[in-house]
Amino acid sequence: MIVNYTKKGWQVVTQRQHGILAALFAAEWKISERPERWMETLLAIAEHDDAEIELHGENLLTDSGGPLNFDMKEFDEAYYEKLLRLTITKNRYIALLISFHIEFLCSKSAETNSKAKSFLKEQGILRQKWMHELNLKEKDVLRTYDLLEWCDACSLLLCQDLVQPQKRKLEISTGPDKTSYYVQQAGAQKLTITPWPFETEKFVVRFEYRLLHQLQFKSSAEFRKEFLSAEVRETIWEVVHKTVPKKKNKV
């Protein structure tokens, strides 16, 4: 889960909600730049965190009793195996993209964790097998994965409430074209992204979150109870293409 501390309490966004937001950005991508397996790519983006279910498990809290933010979790082989089981039973192409995402997420852990290192080695072997079976070149798959990673990064910035005030630019990530993209406010509940990678001039994205007023929990079970009873709210952003006004011709 994605956890933000606010004046009113914990703002909690589920991992799967974050995945939906990532897919909303992907769905607006320029048609000419979309990969051939477009529907499968959208499913991979939308479902890249589907194995994370906040109502399951017994490791939902920090040592001080607050909700555990996603980036505080250590390498969890069981979680990644579950995610891969979910994807490989859809199809190999989706599993391939998710496997590259796991590599992206766990490469740092593999530097010091032997289990993570061994797990990623096995994933590399599986990816080569799947690409051979699907007659795909690694460079083409990586270009599509770069789109998944970009949408993931963009979604996380919004879910973590990191968009800067006063129209200051914030880097998202590099896209499939290896270009750096930036997000900034363009008005009340409006965003713009430069350079503009989308097909339409404007569109709307949204995500749900829960606001928990209780700051400390005795157990994961207590947290789940509060989570389920919390009010569900929604954040809405209009994403617009800012254009430079044309200069008026002098008379």
Side-chain angles (χ1 to χ4, degrees):
M1 57 190 157
I2 299 164
V3 181
N4 303 311
Y5 180 69
T6 72
K7 292 180 179 179
K8 295 182 179 180
W10 299 111
Q11 183 191 73
V12 179
V13 182
T14 67
Q15 297 288 119
R16 289 179 293 166
Q17 180 66 210
H18 146 65
I20 293 173
L21 178 59
L24 289 175
F25 280 103
E28 302 294 338
W29 207 253
K30 286 182 179 179
I31 294 175
S32 62
E33 299 296 323
R34 296 176 185 179
E36 181 179 354
R37 294 172 176 255
W38 183 232
M39 180 54 70
E40 292 155 284
T41 301
L42 285 177
L43 286 171
I45 294 171
E47 300 170 0
H48 73 273
D49 265 340
D50 266 18
E52 183 64 42
I53 303 176
E54 285 76 8
L55 300 184
H56 296 172
E58 293 302 326
N59 187 27
L60 303 178
L61 302 177
T62 65
D63 292 340
S64 58
L68 188 70
N69 194 37
F70 75 99
D71 60 1
M72 297 177 182
K73 297 183 67 175
E74 297 180 356
F75 174 75
D76 186 346
E77 186 172 356
Y79 164 75
Y80 290 116
E81 286 180 344
K82 178 182 177 181
L83 178 59
L84 287 164
R85 286 196 301 271
L86 290 172
T87 56
I88 193 59
T89 52
K90 282 184 176 289
N91 72 17
R92 292 167 294 176
Y93 185 77
I94 294 176
L96 185 58
L97 292 177
I98 298 302
S99 179
F100 272 117
H101 191 54
I102 292 172
E103 176 83 25
F104 172 77
L105 295 174
C106 300
S107 56
K108 189 173 182 179
S109 296
E111 295 175 3
T112 55
N113 187 315
S114 59
K115 287 186 178 181
K117 185 177 181 179
S118 176
F119 181 77
L120 292 187
K121 184 178 180 180
E122 293 175 3
Q123 285 303 299
I125 295 171
L126 281 173
R127 289 197 299 271
Q128 291 300 319
K129 175 178 179 289
W130 293 333
M131 285 187 287
H132 176 72
E133 292 171 350
L134 296 169
N135 194 28
L136 296 171
K137 295 180 179 179
E138 185 170 358
K139 66 179 182 65
D140 295 328
V141 179
L142 283 173
R143 180 178 172 84
T144 302
Y145 170 70
D146 284 344
L147 174 60
L148 185 155
E149 191 276 326
W150 187 94
C151 294
D152 175 56
C154 191
S155 174
L156 280 175
L157 290 179
L158 269 61
C159 290
Q160 294 180 97
D161 197 24
L162 292 177
V163 177
Q164 299 297 296
Q166 299 178 351
K167 300 183 179 181
R168 293 198 296 268
K169 287 186 176 181
L170 179 66
E171 185 174 8
I172 302 170
S173 179
T174 54
D177 54 1
K178 302 304 179 183
T179 297
S180 292
Y181 289 84
Y182 298 85
V183 62
Q184 66 181 127
Q185 284 196 358
Q189 291 306 118
K190 288 187 178 183
L191 299 174
T192 189
I193 292 173
T194 53
W196 186 252
F198 305 113
E199 183 67 23
T200 59
E201 293 294 300
K202 62 180 180 178
F203 57 93
V204 172
V205 297
R206 65 191 79 218
F207 64 92
E208 293 182 351
Y209 65 91
R210 288 165 172 79
L211 187 63
L212 281 65
H213 301 289
Q214 183 174 329
L215 299 182
Q216 193 175 38
F217 304 90
K218 295 179 181 179
S219 65
S220 292
E222 183 183 23
F223 168 78
R224 278 195 294 269
K225 182 179 179 181
E226 291 298 317
F227 178 88
L228 284 171
S229 62
E231 178 188 358
V232 181
R233 301 185 181 185
E234 188 174 60
T235 295
I236 301 174
W237 288 100
E238 184 180 17
V239 187
V240 298
H241 186 190
K242 287 175 62 177
T243 55
V244 178
K246 294 181 179 179
K247 292 182 179 180
K248 294 182 179 180
N249 295 328
K250 293 183 180 180
V251 179

